[in-house]
Every structure is written in C-alpha cells, then in structure tokens.
C-alpha cells in the first residue's frame, strides 16, 4: 500500500506574531537597501557630475576652434567617454550608458523599485496590477525617447523586455477579470497568448545577442 506524505490540516492555527527585533531589523534593511542604495548611487554620481557630465562651455569653445569636422569630433568624444567610463571608479554605473545619460542607472534602480517593493504597499490587487501597467508604459516611453545605452542592441533588448513585462502584467489583469466569467475557452486563449508573447520576446532578445 503506498504511503502518503500529504495530510490535510483539520485546524488552521494563526502564525505567531513576529518579535519587535524582527520588525526593527526589517525597517533598517528597507532604509539601507531599497532606499539607501539608489540614493547612494545618486550621491556618488552627483558628486562627479562636473567630470562625467556633458562638455562645458570652454570645452565647446575649444572644439569650435579646432579644425576637425563634426563627425571627427563626435568620434573623438565617444572614444574619450569610452576611456573615461571604463577607467572611472564608478565604471560599474557608467559602462553601459552614453555620456549625457551617465545618471541613468539611478533611473533604472527606481524603475525596478517601483515595480517590486512599492507595489506591495498597495493592498488592492487590481489597483496594484493597474499601477504596474502604468509604470511599465511610462518606463517604455522614457527609455524609447532617451535611448540611453551606448549599444543599439542594448536599447532594443531593454525596450523589448519592458514590452514583455507590460504584456505579462496586462494579460494578468485581463485574466483576473475574465476569471469572474468562468469561461474556460477565454482562459485557455489568454494562457496561450501569455506563453506565446513570452516566447516571442525571448526569441527576439536572443537574436540580438
């Protein structure tokens, strides 16, 4: 006779309350990690803004007095920025971005924070998913307008990944409301759409690598 390891609980017991030390530790970690890390990045980049930012007026004056063409100057500026960002102490924040968007890692950190930890604070599931969809659309617009990455393939993959996330959240919202109708055919179509869009985004991203 086969043995069964799953036993149905006949009585639900509430979880014991967490000690005060656990709440205190969690509060400190929230301040240090989700809030503190992006603020630390912003502070470090702000402190180096004179060196990392766009060329100053004096630099532009020297460029105008130079006999090189605009194309040659643009290539020289790109090469200079490439050397600077890879040799800088903050290269882990700068390496993937154009010079005028050197601060964009902070934007990316807050985008991830808003799509994860901040949504947990919203108690209503429908409002939570709707907010996530709105944040995704705003991020898609910002990244599409800015094109902050040095490589075009990185911009393409970033936009595709964000559209994938938007589609997953939007289909999840549709599935939530369609579940009220108890229509199994609609549920199956939405499931296939979700899997199909996810696979399409994965294949599209892979072709760019």
């Amino acid at each position: 006779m086969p043995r069964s390891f799953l036993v149905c609980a006949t009585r639900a017991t509430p979880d014991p309350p967490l000690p005060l030390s656990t709440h205190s530790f969690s509060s400190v970690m929230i301040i240090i990690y989700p809030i503190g890390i992006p603020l630390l990045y912003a502070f470090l980049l702000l402190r180096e803004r004179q060196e990392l930012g766009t060329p100053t007026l004096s630099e532009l004056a020297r460029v105008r007095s130079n006999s090189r063409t605009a194309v040659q100057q643009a290539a020289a500026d790109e090469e200079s920025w490439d050397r600077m960002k890879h040799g800088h102490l903050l290269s882990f924040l700068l390496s993937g971005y154009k010079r005028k968007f050197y601060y964009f890692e902070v934007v990316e950190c807050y985008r991830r924070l808003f799509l994860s930890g901040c949504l947990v604070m919203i108690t209503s599931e429908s409002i939570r998913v709707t907010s996530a969809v709105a944040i995704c659309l705003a991020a898609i617009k910002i990244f599409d307008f800015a094109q902050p990455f040095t490589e075009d393939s990185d911009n393409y993959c970033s936009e595709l990944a964000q559209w994938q996330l938007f589609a997953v959240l939007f289909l999840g919202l549709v599935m939530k409301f369609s579940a009220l109708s108890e229509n199994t055919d609609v549920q199956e179509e939405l499931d296939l759409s979700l899997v199909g869009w996810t696979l399409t985004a994965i294949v599209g991203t892979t072709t760019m690598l």
Side-chain angles (χ1 to χ4, degrees), residues 96-114:
Y97 298 100
K98 299 174 183 176
R99 184 173 186 178
K100 62 180 179 180
F101 297 112
Y102 68 93
Y103 56 85
F104 227 78
E105 186 64 26
V106 178
V107 178
E108 176 66 10
C109 284
Y110 279 111
R111 182 188 74 86
R112 296 175 184 177
L113 182 61
F114 288 145

Side-chain angles (χ1 to χ4, degrees), residues 119-135:
L119 294 176
V120 179
M121 302 178 184
I122 303 176
T123 56
S124 174
E125 185 176 354
S126 300
I127 298 178
R128 187 187 307 136
V129 179
T130 305
S131 301
V133 170
I135 294 172

Side-chain angles (χ1 to χ4, degrees), residues 69-185:
T69 64
V71 175
Q72 291 174 327
Q73 184 60 41
D77 290 343
E78 185 176 350
E79 183 180 355
S80 175
W81 170 243
D82 189 64
R83 290 196 305 268
M84 180 192 297
K85 68 182 181 181
H86 286 97
H88 201 275
L89 292 175
L90 300 178
S91 60
F92 65 98
L93 298 176
L94 307 169
S95 58
Y97 298 100
K98 299 174 183 176
R99 184 173 186 178
K100 62 180 179 180
F101 297 112
Y102 68 93
Y103 56 85
F104 227 78
E105 186 64 26
V106 178
V107 178
E108 176 66 10
C109 284
Y110 279 111
R111 182 188 74 86
R112 296 175 184 177
L113 182 61
F114 288 145
L115 286 172
S116 55
C118 292
L119 294 176
V120 179
M121 302 178 184
I122 303 176
T123 56
S124 174
E125 185 176 354
S126 300
I127 298 178
R128 187 187 307 136
V129 179
T130 305
S131 301
V133 170
I135 294 172
C136 277
L137 286 176
I140 290 171
K141 184 65 177 177
I142 292 172
F143 277 75
D144 180 60
F145 175 79
Q147 298 287 307
F149 296 102
T150 305
E151 302 292 336
D152 292 336
S153 59
D154 292 341
N155 290 310
Y156 170 81
C157 291
S158 174
E159 183 176 356
L160 186 59
Q162 293 186 60
W163 276 114
Q164 179 189 16
L165 180 59
F166 166 78
V168 170
L169 292 171
F170 182 76
L171 288 174
L173 183 62
V174 174
M175 291 171 65
K176 175 177 175 58
F177 286 106
S178 64
L180 301 176
S181 64
E182 298 181 355
N183 190 333
T184 56
D185 294 336

Side-chain angles (χ1 to χ4, degrees), residues 45-46 48-63 73 77-78 80-81 84 94 97-103:
L45 292 171
L46 185 64
E48 301 293 329
R49 67 186 183 278
Q50 296 296 334
E51 179 182 3
L52 300 176
T54 54
T56 60
L57 293 177
S58 59
E59 291 175 337
L60 292 175
R62 287 197 301 270
V63 170
Q73 184 60 41
D77 290 343
E78 185 176 350
S80 175
W81 170 243
M84 180 192 297
L94 307 169
Y97 298 100
K98 299 174 183 176
R99 184 173 186 178
K100 62 180 179 180
F101 297 112
Y102 68 93
Y103 56 85

